Amino acid sequence: MRHRVWLILFALLCTIPSLSHAADQPNVLMITVDDMNWDSVGVFGCPLKGITPNIDQLAADGMRFNHAHVTIAICQPTRSVWMTGRYPHRNGALGFDPIDRAVPTLQESLRDAGYYNGILSKIEHLEPKEKFCWDFEGAMNDLGRGRDPEKYFELTKTFLAAADQAEKPFFLMANSNDPHRPFAGSTQEQGRRGNKNKKQARAPAYPESEPFCSPDEVIIPGFLPDLSDIRQELSEYFTSVHRADAITGAVLKALDESGHRDDTLVVFMSDHGMPLPFAKTNCYLNSTKTPLIVRWPGRISAGTVDDQHMVSGIDFMPTVLEALQLTPPKGMDGRSYLSILRGDTQKNRDWVFTSINTLSSKKPFPMRAITTRTHGYIFNAWSDGETVFRNESQNGLTFKAMQRAAENDPQIAERVKLFQYRQPEELYNYEQDPAARDDLSDDNGKREILEDLRSQLETIMTETDDPQLENYRSYLKSAEE
């Protein structure tokens, strides 16, 4: 009888494939949110009580970084950076472009190591498709247009069951479309919910959400004026942030229920800042700073905060590969921060290089920047006093409200002019001015800082064969004359 019981127990254990690889082949769950500012998260300083309980709990269970940045504040190229470990001008995806076919991807490395690769939403933002080796795809329209927490829970469960059935460790990239426009409850969303054309009629409706906060309760970012329409749009944005948090919680709940919590490395971040002027599609602090959180039970101490190291989007792929003990391909620009996760320190983590190239419109607005813990230096290669900047952030209520207010408010008029035309150089003290309101590039007292950051930018552009290098050198020469 005892022999029979042991045989039954052995058979049951063999039906749980996760146990066979948990010890030496960790799983990876990457959760991303779309267009969420770093400080829209409670644990990163958002004062709206209860805005992100699930993300806050994830931080309590792992490590959060106070100086993490994405490499480019546009959705498709930032994802291409994550999955190649290379700067945009080194992987081919300058804007809404496919990467070069010769560039190795994280998914190729994982496939070769026997991983089951899955993605939820934002599938079209990693191209060409054959380079990303997805075994499982959850389309945006199967996820309530990328905004329905219940559908994320169900599809995550389906993916995890499929990985177990395949008896493979997994990599899942779960992408929330919130808080990207159209914001929850906005007239833009309601218009699209109306299914006014055939293409829209084939798509599922946006899920309805109760407003999280009123316009009177919102917090106005320092880079925006306090206007009624801006408050209205921010109330819709924060409702979308809250829904993105619910999506995060749903994915994590499915992971817990699968039994894979303890053998899964979880990485959470936003692809860039909020889709409002002076954030998304730029190189300001609030463009590229991301609320990076990493949880790995038994490997990362819970509730830890890194306030020392600056890490970047290009570091994601090398970090994952080292964590999984896989050989990295040659040619990556990033480097692993796994030792930081383990509690060690790394040298030369005091700056990041960020950029903008072409936008979704395909129009070029090249920008390059060096961001340190204290300062930010930006070179706007496109700024000539005549070219007018145009991006997606101007499509909502906020920029239109700023334009109307500019007719009678000189300070807002200056902000509108700066946003539309910029100037070749900008320099900010982010310790004192995180909203980038006081440009110091013409301040003789900051000349030494300006020169140091100019030199640093030229060096990284030289080392990476940046196509804007000659433009930058020409500008520096003219500035010195």
Side-chain angles (χ1 to χ4, degrees):
M1 180 66 178
R2 185 180 298 171
H3 179 68
R4 184 179 178 186
V5 169
W6 278 110
L7 286 175
I8 293 171
L9 287 172
F10 179 77
L12 287 172
L13 288 171
C14 289
T15 64
I16 308 176
S18 62
L19 295 181
S20 66
H21 65 72
D24 56 356
Q25 289 182 294
N27 306 300
V28 180
L29 170 60
M30 180 186 193
I31 304 175
T32 80
V33 289
D34 205 354
D35 291 21
M36 184 187 286
N37 242 54
W38 66 278
D39 58 356
S40 294
V41 177
V43 74
F44 281 92
C46 184
L48 293 174
K49 187 176 180 180
I51 182 71
T52 54
N54 295 293
I55 301 171
D56 293 352
Q57 184 59 54
L58 183 66
D61 294 336
M63 175 183 285
R64 63 179 168 91
F65 286 79
N66 282 343
H67 301 288
H69 288 257
V70 295
T71 304
I72 180 168
I74 305 177
C75 52
Q76 181 158 336
T78 204
R79 285 168 167 76
S80 296
V81 169
W82 290 339
M83 299 310 181
T84 63
R86 300 190 187 202
Y87 292 118
H89 59 274
R90 298 247 301 119
N91 67 33
L94 293 175
F96 285 76
D97 310 294
I99 65 167
D100 292 337
R101 294 179 185 273
V103 173
T105 66
L106 175 59
Q107 280 64 47
E108 289 173 319
S109 291
L110 294 175
R111 175 200 59 192
D112 294 345
Y115 274 72
Y116 191 76
N117 285 318
I119 186 170
L120 302 182
S121 196
K122 313 295 286 190
I123 301 167
E124 68 284 357
H125 284 75
L126 287 167
E127 296 287 347
K129 191 172 183 178
E130 61 269 21
K131 293 288 292 180
F132 295 94
C133 318
W134 303 120
D135 300 297
F136 182 99
E137 297 179 356
M140 177 185 71
N141 283 344
D142 293 329
L143 293 158
R145 297 202 177 188
R147 301 164 195 268
D148 190 323
E150 291 184 8
K151 289 182 168 59
Y152 274 87
F153 174 72
E154 293 300 332
L155 268 183
T156 301
K157 284 181 60 176
T158 301
F159 166 80
L160 295 172
D164 279 348
Q165 183 66 31
E167 300 188 11
K168 291 183 176 183
F170 64 79
F171 175 94
L172 175 62
M173 184 184 193
N175 302 302
S176 166
N177 284 63
D178 273 326
H180 192 290
R181 278 197 186 88
F183 299 141
S186 66
T187 55
Q188 285 182 325
E189 183 188 71
Q190 292 166 5
R192 296 187 190 188
R193 188 179 285 127
N195 295 329
K196 295 180 178 180
N197 56 51
K198 292 182 179 180
K199 183 177 180 180
Q200 292 288 338
R202 292 193 297 269
Y206 287 91
E208 296 193 30
S209 298
E210 290 295 320
F212 177 76
C213 59
S214 71
D216 291 338
E217 295 171 316
V218 302
I219 308 303
I220 304 293
F223 50 87
L224 295 174
D226 189 347
L227 301 171
S228 60
D229 273 2
I230 293 179
R231 285 187 168 276
Q232 176 62 39
E233 187 158 53
L234 283 170
S235 72
E236 298 160 358
Y237 162 80
F238 281 114
T239 299
S240 296
V241 167
H242 190 59
R243 192 166 60 189
D245 177 78
I247 289 171
T248 301
V251 172
L252 291 171
K253 179 184 176 183
L255 178 71
D256 288 352
E257 292 187 3
S258 74
H260 283 297
R261 176 190 174 99
D262 290 341
D263 59 20
T264 301
L265 169 67
V266 178
V267 181
F268 170 89
M269 58 182 139
S270 172
D271 61 352
H272 47 69
M274 61 172 60
L276 298 176
F278 297 101
K280 176 181 178 178
T281 323
N282 280 281
C283 288
Y284 298 109
L285 179 73
N286 286 286
S287 305
T288 59
K289 191 170 181 179
T290 187
L292 174 64
I293 299 170
V294 185
R295 186 188 77 186
W296 198 1
R299 311 289 185 93
I300 299 174
S301 298
T304 53
V305 180
D306 185 274
D307 197 37
Q308 176 181 355
H309 302 91
M310 298 195 72
V311 298
S312 177
I314 58 167
D315 301 324
F316 174 74
M317 178 175 172
T319 301
V320 170
L321 290 177
E322 185 181 10
L324 304 184
Q325 300 182 44
L326 300 178
T327 302
K330 295 180 180 179
M332 289 190 294
D333 298 308
R335 62 187 177 111
S336 171
Y337 52 80
L338 182 64
S339 66
I340 300 174
L341 297 174
R342 291 171 171 164
D344 296 331
T345 59
Q346 288 185 355
K347 295 181 179 179
N348 302 317
R349 285 283 188 187
D350 52 5
W351 61 274
V352 295
F353 169 59
T354 63
S355 67
I356 294 291
N357 298 291
T358 59
L359 312 189
S360 58
S361 63
K362 300 296 183 181
K363 292 182 179 180
F365 287 97
M367 309 175 201
R368 299 292 185 267
I370 294 290
T371 303
T372 72
R373 284 188 293 271
T374 59
H375 288 81
Y377 169 74
I378 304 169
F379 170 59
N380 300 304
W382 61 272
S383 178
D384 58 9
E386 296 180 1
T387 302
V388 179
F389 183 70
R390 173 72 190 176
N391 74 340
E392 190 272 341
S393 295
Q394 294 158 271
N395 292 340
L397 299 177
T398 295
F399 190 68
K400 295 179 179 64
M402 291 175 66
Q403 286 180 306
R404 290 194 299 271
E407 296 176 5
N408 300 304
D409 189 319
Q411 289 186 329
I412 295 178
E414 281 297 312
R415 292 292 286 170
V416 169
K417 181 180 178 181
L418 174 64
F419 187 72
Q420 289 184 309
Y421 293 96
R422 237 53 70 84
Q423 56 193 41
E425 283 185 313
E426 297 175 78
L427 175 66
Y428 300 98
N429 183 332
Y430 285 147
E431 276 191 318
Q432 301 174 3
D433 179 27
R437 298 297 297 254
D438 184 15
D439 181 11
L440 305 173
S441 60
D442 291 330
D443 186 336
N444 289 331
K446 307 299 180 183
R447 188 71 185 182
E448 183 176 351
I449 295 173
L450 178 68
E451 294 291 350
D452 286 347
L453 294 178
R454 279 177 171 178
S455 177
Q456 199 165 350
L457 181 59
E458 184 178 10
T459 297
I460 187 64
M461 291 175 72
T462 302
E463 292 175 347
T464 61
D465 296 320
D466 194 312
Q468 291 297 323
L469 177 59
E470 291 309 313
N471 285 343
Y472 186 52
R473 284 177 171 165
S474 295
Y475 168 75
L476 292 179
K477 185 178 179 180
S478 66
E480 293 170 359
E481 292 176 350

